[in-house]
């Protein structure tokens, strides 16, 4: 966790961007795109097959 993320967490400004895991390559990434949109792809392998992490 970066210093900036730690400070944001301490003051209650955590980022609420959903995290996803690519089902093809296993890469974890954040995306603000709608999960069903054309733009929702893994940034590593361009796969559209992903699962939202909690």
């Amino acid at each position: 966790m970066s210093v900036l993320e730690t400070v944001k967490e301490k003051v209650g400004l955590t980022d609420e961007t959903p995290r996803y895991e690519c089902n093809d390559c296993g890469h974890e990434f954040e995306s603000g795109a709608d999960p069903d949109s054309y733009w929702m792809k893994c940034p590593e392998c361009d796969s559209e097959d992903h699962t939202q992490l909690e």
Side-chain angles (χ1 to χ4, degrees):
M1 181 180 294
S2 73
V3 172
L4 183 56
E5 290 171 349
T6 303
V7 171
K8 284 182 177 182
E9 184 178 291
K10 295 293 182 188
V11 296
L13 298 174
T14 57
D15 190 8
E16 298 299 324
T17 305
R19 292 194 55 78
Y20 298 90
E21 180 177 14
C22 177
N23 294 333
D24 289 341
C25 72
H27 179 72
E28 290 186 15
F29 59 98
E30 292 182 352
S31 179
D34 183 285
D36 296 323
S37 77
Y38 169 80
W39 302 106
M40 185 60 179
K41 295 181 181 177
C42 173
E44 291 293 314
C45 69
D46 284 337
S47 172
E48 295 179 10
D49 188 18
H50 56 273
T51 304
Q52 185 171 351
L53 302 173
E54 294 186 28

